[in-house]
Amino acid sequence: MSDTISDADKIRNKRLAKLGTQAPPKSDHPVDGSSNEDRTLQSSQPPVSPSQDQKEQIKPKISISNSSASPKPTDNPFAQLGVKDRTGDQPRINIKSEAEPDMSSRKRPLPDQIRPSSRGEETLQEWEDKVLRKIFRITLDQSVRSDGHGHHLSFVKSVRAELEEQRQPILLGVTMLDQAILEAASNISKVTLLDYLLACWKRVVRQFKHHKGNRAEENKLEVLKEARRLCMSYCIFAITMPEMFGRETPESSPLLPHLLVDPEDDRGLCHDFLAEAVSRFADDDTIEPALVGAIEDLSRQLARKTMNDDYKTYVLALRHLVRYPPLVKAIARSPLFAPSSTPAPDLESATLLGPFFAISPLQGDIASQYFSSPKTRDRTFITNSQRSLRMALTTHQQDLLDIVNHIIKSDKGARDTMLDWFAMCVNKNHKRRALQVDHKLVSSDGFMINVTVCLDQLCEPFMDAQFSKINRIDSDYLRRNPRVDIKEETKLNMDQNSSDSFYAQSAEGSNNFISEIFFLTLAAHHYGTESTNQELSQLEKDLKRMEKHIEEIELDRHKWINNPAQLKMFDNAIKRYKEQVDKGFSYKYAIQGVLLDETMQARSLQFMRYVIVWILRLVSASDFPKQAIKLPLKPNPSNFFEALPEYFLEDVVGAYRFVMRNMPWTISSTQSDELIILCITFLRNSEKIKNPYLKSGLVTILFAGTWPAPNRPKGVLGDLLMGMPLATEHLLHALMRFYIEVENTGAHTQFYDKFNIRYEIFQIIKCIWDNRVYRDHLDEESKANVDFFVRFVNLLLNDVTFVLDESLTAFQQIHNLSKELQNPEHFEQAERQEKEEALSAAKSKAKSYMQLTNETVAMLKLFTEALADAFTMPEIVQRLADMLDYNLDAMVGPKSNELKVENPKEYDFQPKTLLSDIIDVYLNLRKKESFILAVARDGRSYKPANFQKATAIFRSQAKEFKSPDELKIWTALGEKFQQAKEADDQAEDDLGEIPEEFLDPLMATLMTDPVILPTSKSILDRSTIRSHLLSDPNDPFNRAPLKIEDVVPATDLKSQIEAFKAERRGIKIAEANIMDTNPG
């Protein structure tokens, strides 16, 4: 060998030398412990056939020995593998029976003198030759180029030449096997190196298993062990040193094609191969990077594929590989596994697991292929496509879980790296919750949904029905260098500075696995499934807008009808726009198909149930659910709850809201109990949450839970709300409290938002109103908490007044504009277009407000029936009477004909029902003298004729709305109002001219309980200032902050007013007496 060798040769020599050290000793340690001399094979004559008894005692033995007494030093690094120098004696495998005499001194016969043994007995050497040729498909006979099955055999010319040169039998043995494998592998041309060597590996493994366990064939096992070792070694050389076989190093791992083949296929990597390979990690530092490199190439290649390609083989390959813990540890150490610098869009392609989690029907153009021509498809086609989509995705997600589970369970290092990857997926995707999501800056929906589903499944083992492991969820996790980044997240009830200070106080200890998975899963829901829910809602709105836009654009087609070039451009633009709409619908159906998976949503709700219980335990400082929640909550010195990110509660709301709207039957009764408790707790203690829209989400859940569902007329929550003690005691108060609170949300849309929220509150109240227990609790509380109920009633009146006025005004506009447009020729085009636009706006306004009007008036009817005292308090009753009189006049007065519109059902306008409800409010309060007097004092809208007209309508046109008895009561009430009006007018006449200082400066009425405002020193009647403060907490004269508790009774002025009234009454009585004494 030359003294100077290339670097490649040095590396090769080093690896070959290392491989050789794994071989069993060839001289000093015979496999059976016998001496080399006893095991020397004499091939000059056929073996003597032993007797039957001798056969039982004589066993063939394998001994690997040198032909000379002491080995000569050699510079050949291949010597340990059996690659000879052609000079000097070489190791040989000699086989002889223990009964054979030592014939090592006898002269060896020439190769052509070798004869096979007698037919009755096959020597070990002959068996060895036969088996090795079969395994490696090698021949030493140039004329024999195929076996009995037609398989091609490789003629190893140099091996035969060496055997002949050394006057050895022309039989293949393990001593020459390494050279034979190298020559055969170097000569192959029709298949790859690994194709050949892996097939050899499969055959040697099968042969080894066939003989394994048979103690009588230990010698054969030793031969097969050595053959297996050499075969594996050359497989490794083929992977790591292809130049050894005269091949060029490929760009990607040569193992990659074999990973994609079934492990049981001759070209696949079977369990035995991988087990043997990983067992050599410690002895051969080339195997680990070779396998890891192949897996990295597997990932890179999958990154270019979608669900429509052959992705399954890649997933199955990784599933197969992660079953070997040493290999998993190696994979986790790969720089490709979780590179921290990877931006969010590249997580799916530039991390090792990313391409596996990216496979989804939401990937690329897959949605368009599942739902081609979506607007022309019927519901059956769409449903079937969604079902097919879900089946494929569910199977894939199970594979992903299996992969992740094996990684997590392999060892702590791999588990931590896996958790780091999950954390990277959520932390880098905060922008997925932006108001306007730029999809070029974030990971895809399909990828994040797969991450979320996988984490949900990892939570299942600790989410038992008894919550036995909920104590393992450590709130201190978030103050102990958490993987989940919450620094910039909005907190439930803490500003950024307070939050930074709170989390700066690091907690001691270490985080457990349950806490890690719990908080990672919460974050994954926020940036994964809940983000996709939000996108689906926005997509549906965008598609409606786009369809409407297409309709508007197509109206302009006539403008280009005489210009073919422009018309073609116009049509092409419309076509492209419609293609975008079709793509949007396809993606919408695909998202629905993914999200409407009952199994996935049931699992998600199970996790959310755990979140609910954990939150309630934290905020109440109790052992819930073993201990019941007591409301209102006691102050909790701990700031843990206030410092939690808003999305901890927001995700619960979003998950249940989505399920209730789309698949309410998946919600179990136990989940419903805890959900109701959560909603009532935070609506009753609304100060615990800063964001009013988050609290409104709790109302939305209760509202959606009362929607009728199959076999549940009161929805999934209605029946529970009717009987749950916590609900009957606290729900109505909680809803009324939030009704008051949403008057001011702080958002620029608060005026309209409050009506939407209050509409949902009305629906919940209507659902539970039949339960007498609710009304009894409400009555008791109205007497104990007067100010609270006055504020509620005041806001309810404000709403009724506003929505009724807006609705009726809109109908008057529709009536008048429609009448004018019956003769369009009377208007210029611009004026006509202006009126048409005004009509369209009025119709839209009527539709928006009429439904809310119906619900608000119906609610007023319910509450006045149950809480008549609260609606007839001095600060309320006059406003209520004025509002009722005004709307009664609008409904039946002289201008009532202006409310007539075509197709009133289009606007949900039912005038007779609305009139009936208004009359019911009158009837509910008919026994309250303050109400009777307030109606009589309404100088603007009270008209006795309106009461008579209403009676006539119900007697002739709407008999079904009012019974004769009700009409009788109504008629009597109208007469009572008229009598009160006459009496009040008389009383006012009796007082005569009232001194200016006795009149209320705002209402211009005689004060009965004057009070002094502390800052402006102005004097008003107590009822006036109380009514003012219900809507404005400031002094009406100088805008200084003011509370009703701050006003000072004007006792002197009150005494003067009482004296004035007494004096005038006395004068009037005296005048009456004089008149009575005068003669007729």
Side-chain angles (χ1 to χ4, degrees):
M1 178 176 287
S2 173
D3 293 336
T4 60
I5 59 175
S6 67
D7 291 340
D9 288 335
K10 289 178 181 178
I11 295 172
R12 181 188 308 163
N13 295 346
K14 177 182 176 183
R15 291 176 175 174
L16 291 173
K18 182 179 294 184
L19 174 63
T21 61
Q22 298 172 22
K26 296 190 177 183
S27 59
D28 298 330
H29 304 283
V31 295
D32 62 352
S34 61
S35 66
N36 291 332
E37 290 76 14
D38 291 339
R39 299 180 58 80
T40 303
L41 176 64
Q42 300 297 329
S43 54
S44 60
Q45 60 184 15
V48 179
S49 299
S51 66
Q52 184 63 33
D53 293 338
Q54 289 174 323
K55 287 181 181 179
E56 295 176 1
Q57 297 176 4
I58 299 173
K59 298 179 180 178
K61 301 294 182 182
I62 299 176
S63 176
I64 304 175
S65 64
N66 292 330
S67 58
S68 60
S70 60
K72 294 192 299 180
T74 178
D75 292 331
N76 180 13
F78 294 84
Q80 297 181 62
L81 294 176
V83 181
K84 314 325 186 270
D85 267 341
R86 301 289 183 186
T87 60
D89 295 327
Q90 304 300 329
R92 292 289 183 265
I93 294 182
N94 299 319
I95 306 174
K96 79 178 209 55
S97 300
E98 292 179 353
E100 286 186 280
D102 183 5
M103 294 188 285
S104 60
S105 61
R106 294 186 60 180
K107 184 178 179 181
R108 292 180 180 274
L110 293 173
D112 56 0
Q113 294 176 307
I114 297 174
R115 296 289 184 269
S117 62
S118 62
R119 284 188 171 274
E121 194 70 32
E122 180 182 49
T123 67
L124 181 60
Q125 191 176 16
E126 291 170 341
W127 175 88
E128 182 179 6
D129 171 72
K130 178 185 70 175
V131 169
L132 294 180
R133 291 189 195 204
K134 177 181 178 183
I135 289 171
F136 294 97
R137 291 185 178 167
I138 289 174
T139 180
L140 294 173
D141 186 346
Q142 188 172 5
S143 64
V144 180
R145 304 308 292 265
S146 62
D147 61 14
H149 298 284
H151 299 126
H152 174 74
L153 300 179
S154 178
F155 175 57
V156 283
K157 181 179 180 181
S158 64
V159 174
R160 179 180 177 92
E162 184 164 344
L163 289 171
E164 290 174 345
E165 178 185 334
Q166 297 182 8
R167 303 178 65 81
Q168 294 284 336
I170 308 302
L171 297 173
L172 185 61
V174 291
T175 55
M176 297 295 292
L177 182 58
D178 52 357
Q179 185 175 343
I181 296 173
L182 179 60
E183 184 176 353
S186 300
N187 293 336
I188 62 172
S189 58
K190 294 184 179 181
V191 294
T192 67
L193 285 173
L194 279 178
D195 283 341
Y196 167 70
L197 291 168
L198 287 173
C200 294
W201 170 263
K202 294 290 178 62
R203 291 191 288 272
V204 73
V205 168
R206 285 194 291 268
Q207 193 73 33
F208 181 79
K209 290 180 178 178
H210 176 70
H211 292 279
K212 190 176 181 180
N214 189 345
R215 300 188 64 182
E217 297 186 340
E218 289 182 0
N219 295 327
K220 294 181 179 180
L221 280 175
E222 293 300 328
V223 171
L224 293 171
K225 282 181 182 178
E226 180 65 6
R228 190 176 68 167
R229 183 186 75 83
L230 288 171
C231 185
M232 170 58 71
S233 300
Y234 275 98
C235 285
I236 294 169
F237 288 150
I239 298 166
T240 61
M241 297 172 57
E243 65 274 12
M244 176 180 175
F245 303 91
R247 309 298 174 91
E248 294 183 357
T249 303
E251 293 183 1
S252 60
S253 171
L255 271 177
L256 181 56
H258 303 278
L259 292 175
L260 300 176
V261 179
D262 188 289
E264 299 307 314
D265 188 278
D266 277 354
R267 298 180 62 246
L269 303 185
C270 64
H271 166 74
D272 299 277
F273 180 89
L274 291 171
E276 177 71 16
V278 299
S279 72
R280 297 189 180 199
F281 277 6
D283 299 318
D284 188 341
D285 57 9
T286 65
I287 302 175
E288 178 181 315
L291 286 172
V292 172
I295 295 169
E296 290 173 346
D297 286 344
L298 185 79
S299 173
R300 293 188 187 99
Q301 198 169 105
L302 180 60
R304 299 191 289 270
K305 296 185 178 295
T306 68
M307 186 169 260
N308 271 1
D309 300 316
D310 183 22
Y311 72 93
K312 190 70 175 176
T313 54
Y314 293 80
V315 179
L316 293 177
L318 187 59
R319 277 192 66 182
H320 181 52
L321 292 166
V322 294
R323 280 160 169 72
Y324 303 90
L327 183 54
V328 172
K329 296 175 189 177
I331 294 171
R333 291 192 294 269
S334 165
L336 189 66
F337 196 95
S340 58
S341 60
T342 308
D346 296 339
L347 289 173
E348 303 172 47
S349 58
T351 65
L352 194 142
L353 292 179
F356 296 89
F357 278 81
I359 295 296
S360 167
L362 305 182
Q363 185 181 19
D365 294 327
I366 305 299
S368 297
Q369 296 174 27
Y370 266 102
F371 305 98
S372 57
S373 304
K375 295 186 68 178
T376 64
R377 301 293 187 177
D378 59 22
R379 192 66 224 173
T380 301
F381 174 87
I382 293 171
T383 301
N384 290 337
S385 297
Q386 289 176 334
R387 186 179 296 113
S388 173
L389 172 155
R390 279 196 292 271
M391 290 174 63
L393 182 60
T394 299
T395 302
H396 177 60
Q397 289 170 343
Q398 285 299 122
D399 290 338
L400 293 178
L401 175 65
D402 186 64
I403 292 168
V404 171
N405 258 327
H406 277 89
I407 295 174
I408 286 175
K409 292 176 181 178
S410 61
D411 86 323
K412 185 179 185 304
R415 181 183 69 198
D416 288 343
T417 308
M418 187 73 250
L419 295 178
D420 288 340
W421 185 82
F422 279 129
M424 187 166 62
C425 292
V426 297
N427 292 335
K428 289 182 178 289
N429 276 292
H430 285 202
K431 290 183 179 180
R432 280 180 58 84
R433 296 312 301 261
L435 292 177
Q436 296 293 330
V437 180
D438 185 347
H439 292 284
K440 295 178 181 178
L441 301 178
V442 296
S443 300
S444 68
D445 294 325
F447 174 80
M448 292 303 296
I449 287 175
N450 285 340
V451 168
T452 307
V453 170
C454 185
L455 285 167
D456 268 341
Q457 291 172 306
L458 289 176
C459 291
E460 285 186 315
F462 66 80
M463 293 194 304
D464 61 306
Q466 291 73 37
F467 301 96
S468 62
K469 296 182 181 179
I470 200 164
N471 286 327
R472 299 290 305 281
I473 301 173
D474 186 0
S475 56
D476 273 334
Y477 167 87
L478 297 172
R479 296 200 299 168
R480 197 183 290 125
N481 192 25
R483 283 185 165 87
V484 179
D485 180 13
I486 63 167
K487 181 176 175 57
E488 302 300 325
E489 294 292 342
T490 305
K491 306 306 186 292
L492 281 168
N493 202 6
M494 196 176 280
D495 59 35
Q496 189 62 46
N497 290 333
S498 300
S499 170
D500 291 343
S501 300
F502 177 80
Y503 286 111
Q505 303 170 20
S506 182
E508 297 180 355
S510 59
N511 294 324
N512 60 63
F513 179 72
I514 289 179
S515 296
E516 292 274 15
I517 289 294
F518 178 80
F519 289 104
L520 279 171
T521 307
L522 257 176
H525 273 276
H526 187 59
Y527 302 113
T529 51
E530 295 309 312
S531 173
T532 308
N533 287 347
Q534 176 181 290
E535 182 177 357
L536 177 60
S537 299
Q538 186 60 46
L539 179 60
E540 290 174 336
K541 295 176 184 176
D542 290 344
L543 288 173
K544 288 181 180 178
R545 176 182 54 78
M546 292 171 73
E547 285 188 305
K548 184 177 180 181
H549 187 51
I550 288 176
E551 292 175 1
E552 293 172 352
I553 292 176
E554 287 183 328
L555 294 176
D556 294 334
R557 194 174 189 278
H558 66 279
K559 295 179 181 179
W560 320 108
I561 199 71
N562 296 321
N563 188 332
Q566 291 292 332
L567 181 62
K568 184 177 180 180
M569 292 176 61
F570 177 85
D571 288 339
N572 287 337
I574 289 288
K575 180 181 178 182
R576 288 193 298 270
Y577 203 77
K578 287 183 176 180
E579 287 173 352
Q580 289 299 314
V581 172
D582 281 352
K583 189 174 181 180
F585 271 101
S586 296
Y587 195 68
K588 168 189 166 183
Y589 293 142
I591 292 179
Q592 289 175 336
V594 171
L595 294 180
L596 296 179
D597 183 337
E598 290 189 20
T599 302
M600 183 187 85
Q601 291 297 346
R603 190 185 299 119
S604 172
L605 293 188
Q606 177 66 7
F607 174 75
M608 290 303 168
R609 182 189 180 203
Y610 242 70
V611 176
I612 290 173
V613 172
W614 181 77
I615 287 176
L616 290 174
R617 289 168 65 90
L618 193 64
V619 75
S620 66
S622 68
D623 190 19
F624 180 80
K626 293 180 181 178
Q627 295 177 355
I629 296 284
K630 294 182 179 179
L631 300 179
L633 295 173
K634 295 180 180 179
N636 190 344
S638 169
N639 290 326
F640 274 118
F641 175 78
E642 287 77 5
L644 292 179
E646 271 189 1
Y647 74 73
F648 279 35
L649 196 55
E650 182 183 350
D651 289 351
V652 174
V653 172
Y656 276 97
R657 183 165 51 197
F658 178 84
V659 171
M660 283 183 173
R661 288 179 174 174
N662 296 283
M663 45 205 312
W665 55 88
T666 61
I667 301 176
S668 67
S669 58
T670 51
Q671 291 169 347
S672 300
D673 285 345
E674 288 135 5
L675 183 61
I676 290 172
I677 294 171
L678 178 83
C679 295
I680 294 175
T681 296
F682 288 113
L683 290 174
R684 185 68 175 82
N685 296 86
S686 59
E687 71 281 357
K688 292 287 184 181
I689 302 173
K690 180 173 57 177
N691 185 349
Y693 293 100
L694 182 54
K695 289 179 276 192
S696 74
L698 301 174
V699 173
T700 300
I701 287 178
L702 295 175
F703 165 57
T706 61
W707 288 351
N711 302 318
R712 296 180 179 182
K714 287 185 175 291
V716 296
L717 300 181
D719 291 331
L720 290 172
L721 291 174
M722 293 294 282
M724 183 182 291
L726 185 76
T728 55
E729 185 173 355
H730 297 286
L731 178 57
L732 266 179
H733 180 97
L735 292 173
M736 292 167 66
R737 175 173 179 161
F738 192 59
Y739 187 101
I740 296 169
E741 190 175 328
V742 295
E743 181 69 16
N744 298 293
T745 63
H748 68 280
T749 57
Q750 67 178 16
F751 182 78
Y752 301 100
D753 292 339
K754 70 179 182 181
F755 287 115
N756 292 328
I757 295 169
R758 287 171 177 172
Y759 172 82
E760 294 181 348
I761 290 175
F762 293 155
Q763 300 307 307
I764 301 168
I765 292 175
K766 284 170 65 176
C767 176
I768 62 176
W769 195 255
D770 291 339
N771 188 341
R772 183 72 194 180
V773 177
Y774 276 105
R775 300 203 297 275
D776 291 343
H777 277 301
L778 193 64
D779 184 53
E780 293 171 5
E781 197 164 358
S782 69
K783 296 171 183 176
N785 196 349
V786 175
D787 288 342
F788 171 82
F789 274 82
V790 168
R791 290 174 62 199
F792 170 75
V793 168
N794 176 68
L795 292 174
L796 180 59
L797 284 182
N798 288 348
D799 288 351
V800 173
T801 302
F802 176 79
V803 297
L804 264 173
D805 186 58
E806 290 293 309
S807 299
L808 298 184
T809 301
F811 287 122
Q812 290 172 350
Q813 292 172 343
I814 293 171
H815 174 84
N816 294 331
L817 287 169
S818 298
K819 189 174 181 180
E820 291 176 13
L821 288 171
Q822 287 178 354
N823 300 303
E825 65 276 4
H826 294 170
F827 305 103
E828 297 291 336
Q829 181 176 353
E831 185 179 3
R832 185 177 71 251
Q833 184 175 352
E834 181 179 346
K835 288 184 177 295
E836 288 174 346
E837 291 175 355
L839 177 61
S840 177
K843 288 181 176 180
S844 177
K845 181 180 177 181
K847 290 178 181 178
S848 299
Y849 281 110
M850 198 59 229
Q851 188 177 21
L852 188 59
T853 296
N854 292 334
E855 298 300 331
T856 308
V857 172
M859 199 53 47
L860 179 66
K861 173 183 170 182
L862 291 180
F863 275 96
T864 52
E865 180 183 18
L867 302 171
D869 289 338
F871 284 87
T872 52
M873 292 180 181
E875 55 267 48
I876 295 294
V877 67
Q878 191 60 58
R879 289 185 56 232
L880 174 60
D882 293 348
M883 182 273 295
L884 291 172
D885 290 342
Y886 175 82
N887 287 291
L888 180 64
D889 185 53
M891 296 289 293
V892 302
K895 295 184 178 181
S896 60
N897 286 334
E898 295 181 5
L899 298 179
K900 293 182 179 180
V901 294
E902 292 183 4
N903 194 15
K905 291 183 179 179
E906 178 185 351
Y907 314 98
D908 199 20
F909 181 35
Q910 304 173 50
K912 294 174 184 177
T913 301
L914 181 59
L915 178 61
S916 176
D917 286 344
I918 291 175
I919 289 177
D920 283 338
V921 176
Y922 278 104
L923 296 176
N924 290 338
L925 303 175
R926 68 185 185 277
K927 297 180 180 179
K928 302 296 180 181
E929 290 300 325
S930 59
F931 175 69
I932 301 295
L933 185 59
V935 172
R937 286 180 174 176
D938 177 13
R940 184 184 67 164
S941 302
Y942 169 67
K943 299 171 184 176
N946 288 339
F947 291 84
Q948 297 167 6
K949 180 67 177 295
T951 303
I953 289 173
F954 284 111
R955 279 180 175 164
S956 60
Q957 304 174 30
K959 296 180 181 180
E960 69 275 15
F961 289 93
K962 289 289 177 280
S963 67
D965 290 340
E966 288 175 314
L967 287 177
K968 186 176 180 181
I969 296 172
W970 170 248
T971 302
L973 181 60
E975 294 172 354
K976 199 172 184 180
F977 287 142
Q978 192 166 0
Q979 293 169 4
K981 172 67 175 172
E982 294 170 356
D984 189 62
D985 289 345
Q986 183 61 50
E988 187 175 348
D989 290 342
D990 291 346
L991 289 176
E993 185 176 351
I994 302 173
E996 185 74 21
E997 62 271 20
F998 293 171
L999 293 175
D1000 184 287
L1002 295 181
M1003 303 301 294
T1005 55
L1006 180 65
M1007 293 185 285
T1008 58
D1009 186 9
V1011 293
I1012 303 171
L1013 307 188
T1015 55
S1016 65
K1017 304 302 180 183
S1018 299
I1019 300 177
L1020 289 86
D1021 192 79
R1022 184 182 295 275
S1023 64
T1024 301
I1025 192 61
R1026 282 179 68 95
S1027 180
H1028 170 81
L1029 292 177
L1030 290 173
S1031 304
D1032 185 351
N1034 300 306
D1035 187 315
F1037 297 99
N1038 64 4
R1039 308 303 300 159
L1042 178 65
K1043 295 181 180 179
I1044 192 63
E1045 295 84 3
D1046 299 334
V1047 301
V1048 180
T1051 53
D1052 291 343
L1053 182 59
K1054 183 175 182 179
S1055 299
Q1056 294 175 26
I1057 293 173
E1058 292 297 331
F1060 168 76
K1061 290 164 63 178
E1063 178 187 354
R1064 291 304 175 92
R1065 281 197 297 269
I1067 293 172
K1068 196 66 180 176
I1069 291 172
E1071 290 177 353
N1073 291 335
I1074 293 173
M1075 292 178 65
D1076 289 341
T1077 58
N1078 288 336

